[in-house]
Amino acid sequence: MVDLQSQYQKIKSDVDSAIINVIEQANFINGPEVSEFKSDLERYLNVSHVIPCANGTDALQIALMALGLKPGDEVITPSFTYIATTEVIALLGLTPIFVDVLSDTFCIDPSKIEEAITDKTKVIVPVHLYGQCADMDAILEIAKKHNLKVVEDTAQAIGADYTHKNGKVSKAGTMGDIGCTSFFPSKNLGCYGDGGAMYTNDVHLAASLKKIANHGQVIKYHHEVVGCNSRLDTIQAAILKIKLPFLDSYCAARQKVAAYYNQAFSEVKQITTPYKAPNTTHVYHQYTIKLSGVDRKELIEYLNSHGIPSMIYYPLPAHKQGMFKSFGKENQDLPITNHLTECVLSLPIHTEMEQEQLEYITKHVIHFIKSFA
Ligand SMILES: *Cc1c(COP(=O)(O)O)cnc(C)c1O
């Protein structure tokens, strides 16, 4: 689905010397590259505070820990997302409240949020799924009206821009109270292991996030609150510092791939190509089509037999996962979510794709649909 080797080859000498430098300095934990990358990312995102951490799941967990919630408090989130978004809610003794998504953008449907709000609701966690922003103006307005916090899961949308109704442009993850991202290798800004970060414009939240990620301490060995140990390794920060200047070109390369696919599939009525809402850019962490009148399983097998990977993100929505059994939501009526799990298919997309590969993939997808569907 991704080609990280070819991407590495283009920046190899810089990355190799940065890694060797960290090893030679032996500054493995909280070395200078961590704060340098943090400042670079703050500048790129135009956000006051970036707090690096160990991975995107930790970022979401620490964000919720920083909001001072009590067990049983409710967190509104889509069910159609990667499990990490919803898992941390349950892990902290909070209650996930699943809201359906829009069938075109795949992001949470703001018109379904208010009916899910109760006097226990404290947070909304929109997910900028596949690389475009959820409808943040509508979400922020609801949050303001009901005095709720907003934690953006921007693990798939680092680099995306959202244009507000008033014309202001914000980077994904910098609009709510806290944004959470992941530097997992295959993400749009990936490191060579695990990594993550939280963003906020609130100085108090920033201090709290930093403290929680560091065993609840500000002064060494004085632990004010229960925290955890979640750090971005110096080696990973050194790699990210080199890769960050390429993020926009990486996103542009993905957009080019998406444009090719869109064009190639434009006449295929069994394929709905991804819709992009007008107020957001799309950085295509995934290129996800919707199929109708096509046996998805057979298409996947056909592609596979021709050396073409494809993936279903996500085959089982959160509300049906065994881990949430105790919440008794498996039969909750989320028609769009349920439908999408049955018809979506993600095709290979990455920064190094070549014309020849795109021709090969689209030719086979179309051939299968025309001959067997
Ligand atoms: C990748 C991802 C995460 C988790 O990130 P990790 O770094 O793997 O912990 C969370 N949410 C979404 C939507 C993701 O895609």
Side-chain angles (χ1 to χ4, degrees):
M1 297 291 284
V2 293
D3 179 357
L4 299 173
Q5 286 100 333
S6 306
Q7 194 192 59
Y8 163 64
Q9 287 306 322
K10 294 185 179 160
I11 51 173
K12 179 175 165 32
S13 63
D14 285 349
V15 167
D16 290 1
S17 52
I19 293 173
I20 290 166
N21 181 54
V22 174
I23 299 170
E24 283 175 351
Q25 302 295 319
N27 267 324
F28 300 112
I29 303 296
N30 288 333
E33 289 82 355
V34 178
S35 55
E36 287 163 19
F37 170 63
K38 165 192 156 76
S39 307
D40 290 354
L41 188 56
E42 283 165 352
R43 219 169 303 121
Y44 174 82
L45 295 168
N46 191 24
V47 72
S48 315
H49 309 276
V50 165
I51 299 94
C53 64
N55 57 68
T57 309
D58 275 10
L60 289 159
Q61 180 188 324
I62 296 164
L64 291 175
M65 288 171 79
L67 295 176
L69 309 174
K70 2 175 245 316
D73 280 351
E74 294 177 355
V75 179
I76 289 176
T77 174
S79 173
F80 191 65
T81 180
Y82 180 56
I83 197 63
T85 319
T86 52
E87 182 182 31
V88 297
I89 297 169
L91 180 74
L92 295 173
L94 307 166
T95 303
I97 300 295
F98 301 114
V99 167
D100 216 351
V101 290
L102 291 158
S103 74
D104 53 4
T105 66
F106 308 110
C107 293
I108 195 165
D109 182 348
S111 75
K112 307 251 169 73
I113 291 178
E114 278 197 296
E115 63 201 47
I117 294 174
T118 71
D119 52 7
K120 286 188 181 164
T121 310
K122 297 288 157 59
V123 190
I124 305 172
V125 183
V127 181
H128 304 317
L129 202 72
Y130 303 150
Q132 75 175 312
C133 295
D135 186 355
M136 288 306 292
D137 276 342
I139 293 164
L140 292 169
E141 205 171 294
I142 295 165
K144 194 168 173 204
K145 183 173 157 197
H146 296 272
N147 197 23
L148 308 176
K149 299 290 185 197
V150 175
V151 173
E152 297 170 69
D153 182 343
T154 187
Q156 299 188 2
I158 189 166
D161 287 319
Y162 181 86
T163 305
H164 297 273
K165 271 182 286 195
N166 64 9
K168 183 179 177 249
V169 179
S170 301
K171 285 281 178 203
T174 66
M175 298 172 268
D177 297 278
I178 305 170
C180 299
T181 204
S182 164
F183 306 120
F184 186 83
S186 62
K187 298 282 156 84
N188 285 29
L189 180 62
C191 60
Y192 294 173
D194 276 306
M198 300 160 282
Y199 331 143
T200 185
N201 282 308
D202 180 319
V203 63
H204 302 291
L205 274 179
S208 192
L209 293 166
K210 199 174 160 191
K211 181 161 53 175
I212 292 167
N214 184 25
H215 297 293
Q217 69 188 335
V218 178
I219 301 163
K220 207 166 169 64
Y221 303 126
H222 290 72
H223 306 275
E224 298 168 28
V225 295
V226 173
C228 53
N229 174 24
S230 189
R231 294 183 285 242
L232 180 66
D233 287 350
T234 311
I235 287 180
Q236 302 304 341
I239 294 162
L240 289 165
K241 190 169 136 59
I242 288 163
K243 289 186 76 178
L244 178 59
F246 295 99
L247 176 57
D248 285 342
S249 68
Y250 289 163
C251 293
R254 288 169 175 274
Q255 286 161 348
K256 240 179 105 183
V257 172
Y260 183 97
Y261 279 138
N262 286 344
Q263 175 65 32
F265 298 142
S266 61
E267 304 292 313
V268 185
K269 66 175 193 320
Q270 292 91 339
I271 294 177
T272 305
T273 56
Y275 169 81
K276 185 195 78 66
N279 49 358
T280 172
T281 62
H282 199 318
V283 295
Y284 294 100
H285 173 61
Q286 298 299 344
Y287 182 87
T288 304
I289 56 175
K290 291 189 282 186
L291 298 166
S292 64
V294 178
D295 188 323
R296 182 174 61 171
K297 195 160 159 272
E298 288 196 355
L299 172 58
I300 293 169
E301 278 165 20
Y302 174 82
L303 293 175
N304 211 17
S305 73
H306 289 86
I308 301 166
S310 60
M311 293 289 285
I312 301 167
Y313 302 116
Y314 296 93
L316 193 62
H319 70 286
K320 293 186 181 172
Q321 297 285 351
M323 67 156 72
F324 298 126
K325 232 189 188 109
S326 63
F327 295 106
K329 300 284 175 68
E330 64 268 31
N331 295 318
Q332 190 187 340
D333 190 25
L334 296 171
I336 309 289
T337 295
N338 291 337
H339 175 64
L340 290 177
T341 59
E342 279 156 22
C343 71
V344 291
L345 188 66
S346 299
L347 298 174
I349 189 163
H350 55 80
T351 58
E352 311 304 314
M353 277 182 96
E354 286 168 14
Q355 182 81 9
E356 210 180 312
Q357 294 174 308
L358 286 166
E359 281 167 13
Y360 182 79
I361 295 167
T362 51
K363 188 182 87 183
H364 281 87
V365 170
I366 293 167
H367 177 76
F368 176 86
I369 288 175
K370 295 264 186 269
S371 343
F372 305 104

